Amino acid sequence: MSKEMIMVLDFGGQYNQLIARRVRDLGVYAEVYPSSIGVEKIREIGPKGIIFTGGPQSVYKEESQHIDPSVFSLGIPIFGFCYGAQLIAYELGGEVKTAPVSEYGKTPVRVDNSSVIFSDVQETTVTWMSHTDYIAKVPEGFRVTAHTENCPVAGMEDVSRGIYAVQFHPEVSHTAEGSKMFRHFLYDVCKCAGDWKMDTFVEDQIRSIREKVGNGRVLLALSGGVDSSVAATLMSKAIGRQLTCVFVDHGLMRKNEGDEVEAVFGPKGQYDLNFIRVNAGPEYFAELEGVTDPEQKRKIIGEKFIRVFEREAKKIGAVDFLCQGTIYPDVVESGLGKGATIKSHHNVGGLPKNVEFKEIIEPLRMLFKDEVRQVGLKLGLPDYLVFRQPFPGPGLGVRIVGEVTPEKVRILQDADAIYREEIAKAGLDRKINQYFAALTNMRTVGVMGDFRTYDYACVLRAVETDDFMTAEASDIPFAVLEKVMNRIVDEVKGINRVFYDLTSKPPGTIEFE
Ligand code: XMP
């Protein structure tokens, strides 16, 4: 693990993870901690620098998150953003006031180039602002380093104590030169060496997995998704055949996906591990017969997964470790700083209870998704696995409205494969964050040659989103949609109508169930 670290203290802002990612992108390891961590703990961890995030509160309200002012005397450089900046001003004796109007959006800021943070930033630079409170007076020892038309203190610093602050958000891409400001803080103020590289991570991790596992045996549930695939390759490099991967193919994967997973991880693949594929499709279909309620379908699929996995694990016998592909956003979201929170993923409906293991091992728990992908590429995983779009645990089960049958799965797999092929051909596959076909439960009349048809209608879904919490329908060129429609109605037996879903999220969801 990296020797140097930047601590991101979370004051409730929505960009806490983004800040850590920006820092890591510049080659310095960063972790998010709750603002309540306490000065003793900070001293013990010994970060090279601390960043205070933004937050929705007002510093002068008692219930707001504050900080023990002795943090300012640790001799560790501090950089505050938005609420974090106001907090610095407030705690050190400056003045924070509420403005009659909020400053929101892209805002030109005039900066003082003699500040190390802004040394090579244009004198007037565009930043992202989102605040109502503002720093009316800087604390003693500080000087103003930036301002806007409405905001007298858009930046301030006390070089002697190594404390810097900006009212805007340098972490969001709308702040044109934010990356330069981060770089100056990391390298000029904190004097970081920049040792966070994925090559080193892989080497270090392999070493520490070997140390931890010893001669033990490890079991991993492989789904074919990015996280579990990368976890499997990393573990396999570290401990080879001490690792057993169980791949439960529930028969609800995309077309050929089960075979693709097997081609990579199976006996003919490139990794040294024990691979067990369970073709559980027929069992799933038997339990799903006649079930139409979305929640019930999800529950059946999730629970079935656990049962099948447990059954296979029993055959293997007791293992020492259960490996999970938990990644950093899961760790942060499931409770900051609470330590090893076990991921109860809606993917698989919880952890198996009847599998004997001593400990959980999570080799990716400190990585962001793009870092996980880099590790996957370094370990030789094929692009189509590494850049796979999100695919829900219950698979096509939540993309078939109503009862799930093998016939409907076949129809949907064929339609979806055509859609994905055409999107890739049109060069849109990296622009659209998630796209897939879904099968409605509606059958309509059509004509095919001289015959009347009475077949299913399928829906094409494509969304653009940063966080999958909100999303917009993608503006796919009509010609591409038309081509997909033509191919689907021509080539897929069972579909005679194709719709495009224009619904954003909210009010829609990305999936259909
Ligand atoms: P929704 O449909 O809630 O989807 O807008 C948001 C994102 O989450 C994915 N998703 C799931 N992922 N198990 C998963 O692992 C699930 O049960 C599940 N349901 C939705 C969905 O594909 C989208 O990326």
Side-chain angles (χ1 to χ4, degrees):
M1 197 55 82
S2 165
K3 279 161 223 67
E4 58 183 20
M5 193 255 270
I6 293 292
M7 179 178 278
V8 177
L9 276 195
D10 178 25
F11 287 95
Q14 53 182 322
Y15 303 126
N16 57 13
Q17 292 189 36
L18 190 56
I19 294 172
R21 279 181 53 183
R22 288 279 170 272
V23 173
R24 290 194 194 180
D25 283 348
L26 291 168
V28 179
Y29 183 64
E31 269 186 47
V32 183
Y33 284 86
S35 63
S36 57
I37 174 172
V39 169
E40 260 328 296
K41 187 86 185 148
I42 297 178
R43 198 197 309 272
E44 195 186 307
I45 296 172
K48 293 280 279 188
I50 304 173
I51 294 176
F52 290 3
T53 75
Q57 305 137 326
S58 286
V59 288
Y60 39 77
K61 298 232 166 84
E62 214 168 287
E63 65 275 16
S64 301
Q65 298 178 59
H66 287 264
I67 187 105
D68 177 350
S70 56
V71 72
F72 299 112
S73 344
L74 286 171
I76 302 173
I78 292 174
F79 200 1
F81 303 162
C82 197
Y83 178 84
Q86 293 160 11
L87 190 70
I88 293 171
Y90 180 80
E91 299 289 352
L92 291 174
E95 204 180 328
V96 177
K97 283 189 178 162
T98 306
V101 282
S102 306
E103 199 172 31
Y104 183 82
K106 287 186 185 174
T107 312
V109 168
R110 281 188 71 85
V111 303
D112 179 345
N113 293 118
S114 71
S115 161
V116 65
I117 298 289
F118 303 126
S119 53
D120 58 352
V121 170
Q122 301 204 2
E123 233 178 283
T124 301
T125 187
V126 173
T127 67
W128 182 257
M129 291 278 192
S130 169
H131 68 116
T132 309
D133 289 354
Y134 68 100
I135 301 169
K137 195 169 137 258
V138 300
E140 220 177 287
F142 278 76
R143 70 176 188 119
V144 177
T145 55
H147 65 274
T148 73
E149 217 167 79
N150 301 311
C151 178
V153 186
M156 64 174 190
E157 66 185 25
D158 176 351
V159 177
S160 65
R161 285 192 280 180
I163 305 173
Y164 301 79
V166 289
Q167 179 54 63
F168 51 87
H169 289 274
E171 69 274 25
V172 304
S173 57
H174 305 302
T175 296
E177 296 178 272
S179 182
K180 288 182 189 168
M181 302 169 199
F182 271 102
R183 186 178 289 281
H184 290 306
F185 179 67
L186 300 177
Y187 291 97
D188 300 330
V189 177
C190 303
K191 311 280 184 215
C192 289
D195 63 359
W196 179 244
K197 295 187 184 70
M198 282 306 113
D199 291 316
T200 339
F201 172 85
V202 170
E203 286 159 27
D204 290 352
Q205 201 58 29
I206 287 178
R207 205 175 314 121
S208 79
I209 292 169
R210 283 190 184 139
E211 261 168 41
K212 183 167 185 169
V213 172
N215 297 321
R217 292 207 301 160
V218 182
L219 181 63
L220 183 148
L222 186 66
S223 71
V226 181
D227 304 341
S228 71
S229 298
V230 174
T233 50
L234 191 56
M235 294 302 289
S236 127
K237 291 273 172 192
I239 56 163
R241 294 198 166 252
Q242 286 163 261
L243 171 69
T244 301
C245 289
V246 173
F247 166 48
V248 178
D249 184 344
H250 50 26
L252 303 167
M253 314 270 288
R254 286 167 287 208
K255 191 172 183 175
N256 299 334
E257 204 164 37
D259 294 341
E260 282 170 12
V261 174
E262 181 168 344
V264 174
F265 294 102
K268 295 198 184 117
Q270 57 194 357
Y271 298 102
D272 190 27
L273 50 85
N274 300 302
F275 175 81
I276 298 173
R277 175 174 178 176
V278 192
N279 288 317
E283 288 179 55
Y284 275 81
F285 288 126
E287 288 206 22
L288 288 168
E289 203 181 316
V291 182
T292 53
D293 176 64
E295 273 313 300
Q296 210 189 337
K297 275 161 63 175
R298 272 172 181 276
K299 210 161 158 243
I300 290 174
I301 298 171
E303 280 175 5
K304 185 91 199 141
F305 173 85
I306 301 281
R307 297 291 93 79
V308 177
F309 184 69
E310 282 175 346
R311 197 172 68 209
E312 288 309 310
K314 215 175 207 157
K315 292 185 198 157
I316 298 163
V319 292
D320 302 278
F321 297 90
L322 185 71
C323 179
Q324 290 211 117
T326 314
I327 69 172
Y328 197 51
D330 305 327
V331 175
V332 175
E333 278 152 26
S334 56
L336 266 179
K338 287 197 194 119
T341 331
I342 293 171
K343 180 179 179 184
S344 64
H345 207 290
H346 57 329
N347 224 356
V348 293
L351 265 183
K353 290 183 193 71
N354 300 321
V355 174
E356 277 184 65
F357 63 92
K358 292 188 202 119
E359 221 182 300
I360 298 258
I361 182 165
E362 298 174 312
L364 309 176
R365 66 177 278 119
M366 294 332 268
L367 300 189
F368 286 111
K369 194 82 172 187
D370 42 346
E371 294 173 321
V372 172
R373 291 199 162 101
Q374 282 179 50
V375 170
L377 290 176
K378 286 203 187 307
L379 294 171
L381 276 177
D383 272 23
Y384 67 81
L385 264 186
V386 169
F387 293 102
R388 183 160 272 180
Q389 44 168 326
F391 186 62
L396 300 184
V398 291
R399 294 180 182 171
I400 293 174
V401 180
E403 188 188 9
V404 179
T405 64
E407 170 69 355
K408 284 186 179 174
V409 170
R410 196 270 309 156
I411 293 174
L412 180 56
Q413 280 178 335
D414 287 347
D416 180 67
I418 291 171
Y419 185 32
R420 285 189 289 134
E421 199 181 307
E422 291 301 329
I423 290 290
K425 259 197 231 160
L428 297 170
D429 47 338
R430 294 278 173 99
K431 174 179 172 262
I432 307 174
N433 302 97
Q434 197 169 356
Y435 56 98
F436 55 85
L439 198 65
T440 71
N441 207 15
M442 172 175 84
R443 292 169 81 193
T444 65
V445 173
V447 283
M448 192 85 175
D450 293 332
F451 296 98
R452 172 186 182 276
T453 56
Y454 187 55
D455 282 334
Y456 287 109
C458 96
V459 184
L460 307 177
R461 180 84 166 130
V463 294
E464 286 174 36
T465 170
D466 286 329
D467 54 10
F468 296 88
M469 310 286 281
T470 60
E472 298 293 332
S474 183
D475 184 12
I476 299 180
F478 187 75
V480 176
L481 290 173
E482 198 174 27
K483 175 124 189 259
V484 176
M485 177 276 295
N486 273 322
R487 281 196 59 196
I488 290 179
V489 292
D490 281 353
E491 297 172 35
V492 183
K493 197 168 168 298
I495 294 179
N496 66 354
R497 223 173 263 269
V498 178
F499 294 91
Y500 185 64
D501 184 356
L502 287 170
T503 324
S504 58
K505 174 184 178 178
T509 53
I510 295 174
E511 300 291 347
F512 275 64
E513 291 192 336

